[in-house]
Amino acid sequence: MKGHTSIEPRFVKSVPATLEEGVAYVSMEYASVIHLCCCGCGNEVVTPLSPTDWQLYFDGDSITLYPSIGNWGFDCRSHYWIRGNRIEHAPQWTDQEIDEGRAYDRWLKKQYDPSKRSTSKSRKVSKPFQIEDKIKEHESLWEKTAKKLKGFFKCLL
Ligand SMILES: [Zn+2]
């Protein structure tokens, strides 16, 4: 399999027209990171930084992106973590796992939606059982994620 095992951060104001492989272009202005897919397929991967998208950790030398990057939209469907400038290839997700991940993403974004937060009065309209269902859905997804993380950390040891 083509691809690389490390990535180097480059802090930029604007992203250049041609991207280099193995470089993560970090734009604080646009709060996003862009890099070429680490499998070597040449697709551009944009990871927006926000509380509900990706979080970037920079220790002065290397970067870590959380959570993992799943390129389900590309043919390669590659899935990897960027941790301390290293590319940790992760197992590909099944279609079901991708759907669940997307559902969780939508759920998470809803919780963070500021327009919904400020209108707390209108919350009374939502039926309690719907909220409960969502919490259950969230919990089971979180359990699965936790299991995955455990497996992931095990294979690092
Ligand atoms: Zn790829």
Side-chain angles (χ1 to χ4, degrees):
M1 188 174 141
K2 219 182 124 192
H4 40 266
T5 53
S6 68
I7 196 154
E8 159 205 329
R10 198 170 292 172
F11 291 86
V12 291
K13 276 207 159 167
S14 58
V15 177
T18 323
L19 303 183
E20 273 176 54
E21 285 223 5
V23 177
Y25 299 87
V26 183
S27 166
M28 290 300 170
E29 217 159 317
Y30 296 101
S32 53
V33 180
I34 183 165
H35 69 278
L36 291 178
C37 178
C38 291
C39 86
C41 69
N43 279 304
E44 290 180 7
V45 183
V46 182
T47 46
L49 304 173
S50 88
T52 56
D53 291 296
W54 279 268
Q55 287 93 56
L56 174 77
Y57 300 94
F58 177 57
D59 64 5
D61 179 42
S62 64
I63 56 161
T64 295
L65 269 179
Y66 181 86
S68 63
I69 294 158
N71 293 318
W72 322 131
F74 302 156
D75 286 343
C76 66
R77 282 194 164 198
S78 61
H79 181 208
Y80 49 82
W81 294 80
I82 296 178
R83 288 158 49 96
N85 281 5
R86 278 175 309 137
I87 310 297
E88 314 271 3
H89 288 276
Q92 289 193 350
W93 280 10
T94 63
D95 286 339
Q96 200 202 336
E97 284 171 317
I98 292 169
D99 284 347
E100 283 171 353
R102 283 188 179 144
Y104 174 69
D105 213 40
R106 277 196 299 273
W107 181 88
L108 191 67
K109 279 192 191 295
K110 258 188 206 165
Q111 310 311 301
Y112 273 86
D113 191 339
S115 65
K116 283 191 181 133
R117 263 190 183 174
S118 54
T119 57
S120 53
K121 275 178 198 164
S122 66
R123 276 210 174 156
K124 282 176 187 163
V125 217
S126 53
K127 293 168 197 159
F129 73 85
Q130 282 180 326
I131 293 168
E132 251 174 47
D133 280 354
K134 271 187 190 126
I135 292 168
K136 267 183 212 153
E137 181 190 35
H138 171 225
E139 278 173 354
S140 73
L141 277 167
W142 176 245
E143 264 169 37
K144 275 183 192 163
T145 312
K147 264 185 212 158
K148 265 191 201 119
L149 282 174
K150 261 191 201 161
F152 172 67
F153 283 117
K154 254 185 218 157
C155 62
L156 280 182
L157 295 173

